Amino acid sequence: MISIRQRKGIKTTEVSEDYAAQEENVKLENKLPSGCTSGRLWKILSFTIGGTVALCIGLLTSVYLATLHENDLWFSNIKEVEREISFRTECGLYYSYYKQMLQAPTLMQGFHGLMYDNKTESMRTINLLQRMNIYQEVFLSILYRVLPIQKYLEPVYFYIYTLFGLQAIYVTALYITSWLLSGTWLSGLLAAFWYVTNRIDTTRVEFTIPLRENWALPFFAIQIAAITYFLRPNLQPLSERLTLLAIFISTFLFSLTWQFNQFMMLMQALVLFILDSLDMLPAVKVTWLYGIQITGLLLVCVLQFLNSMILGSLLISFNLSVLIARKLQKNLKTGSFLNRLGKLLLHLFVVLCLTLFLNNIVKKILNLKSDEHIFKFLKAKFGFGATRDFDANLYLCEEAFGLLPFNTFERLSDTLLFYAYIFVLCITVIAALAVAFHNLSDSTNQQSMSKMGTCTIGLRPEAAYNLIHTILFGFLALSTMRMKYLWTSHMCVFASFGLCSPEIWELLLKLIHLYNPKRICIMRYSVPILILLYLCYKFWPGMMDELSELREFYDPDTVELMNWINSNTPRKAVFAGSMQLLAGVKLCTGRTLTNHPHYEDNSLRERTRAVYQIYAKRSAEEVHALLTSFGTDYVILEDSICHERRHRRGCRLRDLLDIANGHVSSPSCRVRGDSTWNPKRYDGWPRRE
C-alpha cells in the first residue's frame, strides 16, 4: 500500500451507489455466515500458531546461548573464583554488588552497604544506587533470598539464567515487531532466524553476561514493539491505554538498567521529531511518547537519588524544547511547499537553540561534568581538532568505539540479511520521500491522520517509525562499533518485515509492470521460506558443531593473584591498578579499590588518570605521593600494559599518559623486583581434553 492517490470529490450518485453496494455486501454476509466463521477461525488458528512459535523460538535461543556459554567455559565444573573471573572488566564490578547483597546479614544492611559504600572508591563514601544502574542486581538478590530455591540453584546460576531468560524475551519482542509490521508471523520467524545466525553481530551476552546492555536491550525491544502497535490507526481506547502502559513500563525499565539510556532515547526522540515534522505521525501520539520518555527518565532520576547526569541529559532538554517550539509555532504545517519548508527549517533552528540553552542552564546550575568526556570524545572523533585529553584519547584508541569494520557487512551478507535489508530500505526510503514531498506540498493537509481530506498516505505510521529508527541507529552503529547491537537486531526485524510485506511487493511489481494480487501473495511467502531453507541448510551444521565443541576456562595467573590477595593481605587493604583488573579484585576478594571501570563520574576519571601515572614518565616520588593520597596499600602492575601490543604505537596506555602529561616520548615501563604481576591475555580458552 505504498502509494499516493488523490481522493475524488464525492457526488450524490456515488453516495447512492456506495450505499447500494454496502447493502449488497450486508446481504452477502448474511447469506454466508460460514465464510465469516471460517475467517475468524483461521485468524485464531494463525494467531495461536504464531504465538506458540514466538515463545518456542525465544526459549530455544535462550537455551542455545546458555549452552554455548557452558561449553565455552565449562562453567559448571570450574571453581567459584574462576567463575567470577570470567565476568571480565565492568561485568565483574556489577556482579559484585549482587554478591554483596546476598552476603549481607539482612536486606536492610545490604541496602545500607550500597547507599554508604566505602570500598568501591577508597577514602570516599558513595551511594552506589545513585551512581550506577544496579537496581537489577538488588532485585535479583531479593528474589533469590525470598524464593525457596537456595537448595536447588546456586546464586551465580540464578543470575546468569535470568540474563539468558531475558534473551528469550528479546527475541520474542523482535519476532512480534516484525509480525506487527508485515501482518504474518512468518516474518517474525525469519527475523528470529536471522538474529541467531548473525549471533556474532547481534548479541554478546554469552561472554559479557552482566553487561548493562544485556539487561536493557530486551526492554528496548519490547518498547519498540509496543510503539509499533501504538502507532496503528483506529485503535480501541482500551487497547491504546494498555499499549501506553506497556510503552511506559518498558521505557522505565530500559532507562533503569543502562546508564546510556538517555542517548539511545535521544535518537528515538529525533525519530519522532522528524516524522512529526513531515506529517507522518499523529501529533497527539507523538506528544504522548515525548511525555512518556520524560516521565520515565524522571522516575529513574528519583530512584537514583536525583542523579545529576539524568537531570542534565540532552533528552529532557530536547523533548521540552520540541513541545515549547510547537506551541510557539502553531501554523507550522500550513502554506505552500516553500513556505512550509522555510517554517520547518526555522522550527529546527528554534528547537536546536532552545535545547542547547536549556541544557547549558541546567548543567551550570548543577555544576554537571559527568558526561563531558563523551562530548570530548565525539568532538575528537569527528575531526573537530586534535586533543591531548586522556579520556577522549582512551575512547578513540579502543576498537569498540571506532568505525564499524567492513567484515561486519561480509558476515551479514553471508546470511543474506544485508542484501535483504538494503533492498527493503531502498524501496521504503523512496516511498517515504514521495510521501514527505506530498505532505509538504499539500497546504490543506492536517496533522491528524484520521482527518486527511485531500490525500491518502500509503506509508503506514508504524512502518515510517521503524524506517527512520533503523536509519538513525544505522548511522550510530557505523560511527561507533559498540552500538552495532542496537542496529543489527533491528536490521533483522526490518528486512524480514519488508520481504513479507504486501505493500513492498505491490510497489515493486507495479514498477516493473508485473502487478498481480496472486503474484504478491506468492512473493511475500515464497521468498522468506526460501531464505529460511537456505539458512537451515547452510548454518545448521555449523551451529551443531558449535554446540559440540567443548572448551574450558583457563587463566591460572589471575586465579593465583586472587588467591594470593585473599591469603596474604588484610581485609581492609586498598589496591590500585588498571580499571579492568580491579573490578575482578573487588568481586573475588572484596578488597577496597582506588578506581574502577564505571567511568561516568568526573572525579573518578581524574582519580583513574592519577593512578595510571604508575605507567607514565613520572618520578617515583610523584607516583608515591599520588597513590598515598588515595590510601593505597598495594599496587598491581601488569606486563600486558607495560609491554602492550594490543594497540598501535601512540595508543598504548603509557603513550596516552605521556601525551596528556605533555611529555614527548614514553619510557619503558618501570617495574621493580617482585612488585610486578603478569596476568596473561587469552584470545580463547583451550579445548577440553
Side-chain angles (χ1 to χ4, degrees), residues 161 178 228 273 290 354 360 379-380 492 523 546:
Y161 286 167
S178 187
T228 299
F273 175 74
Y290 282 142
L354 198 55
N360 283 329
K379 182 180 176 182
C492 302
M523 295 301 291
E546 277 186 318

Side-chain angles (χ1 to χ4, degrees), residues 38-54:
S38 61
R40 288 174 186 172
L41 288 173
W42 173 250
K43 285 183 179 180
I44 293 171
L45 180 63
S46 177
F47 180 81
T48 304
I49 295 173
T52 304
V53 171

Side-chain angles (χ1 to χ4, degrees), residues 516-585:
N516 186 297
K518 290 184 178 179
R519 288 190 182 128
I520 291 175
C521 187
I522 292 170
M523 295 301 291
R524 70 181 294 228
Y525 289 111
S526 61
V527 172
I529 290 173
L530 289 173
I531 292 176
L532 285 169
L533 292 174
Y534 165 79
L535 294 176
C536 291
Y537 172 76
K538 184 167 185 179
F539 294 99
W540 183 261
M543 292 170 68
M544 292 300 102
D545 289 341
E546 277 186 318
L547 291 174
S548 62
E549 184 179 3
L550 303 177
R551 297 195 290 177
E552 181 180 357
F553 178 87
Y554 184 76
D555 193 352
D557 292 322
T558 308
V559 171
E560 187 182 350
L561 170 62
M562 300 307 168
N563 290 335
W564 184 89
I565 292 174
N566 277 320
S567 304
N568 298 280
T569 65
R571 292 288 300 172
K572 294 184 178 180
V574 178
F575 279 78
S578 68
M579 297 182 290
Q580 294 80 4
L581 188 57
L582 287 184
V585 171

Side-chain angles (χ1 to χ4, degrees), residues 59 68 330 363 404 410 423 526 653:
L59 290 172
L68 288 178
K330 294 183 178 179
K363 285 186 175 180
L404 190 66
E410 294 178 354
F423 164 72
S526 61
L653 180 61

Side-chain angles (χ1 to χ4, degrees), residues 88-260:
R88 300 283 185 175
T89 64
E90 61 184 295
C91 299
L93 184 68
Y94 296 132
Y95 183 78
S96 72
Y97 301 124
Y98 170 73
K99 181 179 176 181
Q100 181 178 327
M101 280 291 292
L102 290 178
Q103 291 177 343
T106 64
L107 285 175
M108 292 307 298
Q109 286 177 299
F111 272 108
H112 186 272
L114 295 178
M115 292 172 62
Y116 301 96
D117 179 271
N118 54 15
K119 286 195 169 186
T120 303
E121 295 176 19
S122 60
M123 304 184 71
R124 182 183 295 168
T125 300
I126 61 174
N127 186 345
L128 294 169
L129 295 177
Q130 180 188 43
R131 283 270 296 276
M132 303 183 190
N133 298 70
I134 58 170
Y135 271 102
Q136 50 267 49
E137 276 75 22
V138 173
F139 177 70
L140 272 195
S141 64
I142 294 172
L143 271 184
Y144 187 79
R145 296 177 72 137
V146 170
L147 296 175
I149 58 175
Q150 290 86 349
K151 294 181 180 180
Y152 313 104
L153 199 63
E154 295 177 58
V156 66
Y157 279 107
F158 183 66
Y159 187 91
I160 67 173
Y161 286 167
T162 300
L163 267 299
F164 287 126
L166 280 176
Q167 282 295 301
I169 295 174
Y170 190 17
V171 173
T172 303
L174 298 176
Y175 180 108
I176 291 171
T177 304
S178 187
W179 186 359
L180 289 171
L181 286 168
S182 65
T184 171
W185 57 264
L186 182 63
S187 172
L189 183 62
L190 180 58
F193 264 67
W194 263 331
Y195 179 86
V196 174
T197 53
N198 291 281
R199 173 180 55 84
I200 295 174
D201 297 299
T202 55
T203 182
R204 49 180 174 168
V205 66
E206 77 261 29
F207 56 90
T208 58
I209 294 176
L211 207 62
R212 302 299 85 178
E213 70 184 48
N214 295 328
W215 286 96
L217 291 184
F219 299 119
F220 192 57
I222 293 172
Q223 187 217 40
I224 293 171
I227 290 176
T228 299
Y229 184 75
F230 176 68
L231 293 176
R232 285 184 163 189
N234 305 319
L235 283 183
Q236 295 296 323
L238 179 60
S239 298
E240 195 169 88
R241 292 191 192 99
L242 291 174
T243 308
L244 282 171
L245 179 62
I247 295 171
F248 172 75
I249 293 173
S250 56
T251 301
F252 166 70
L253 292 174
F254 170 69
S255 303
L256 189 65
T257 51
W258 199 11
Q259 67 268 31
F260 293 136

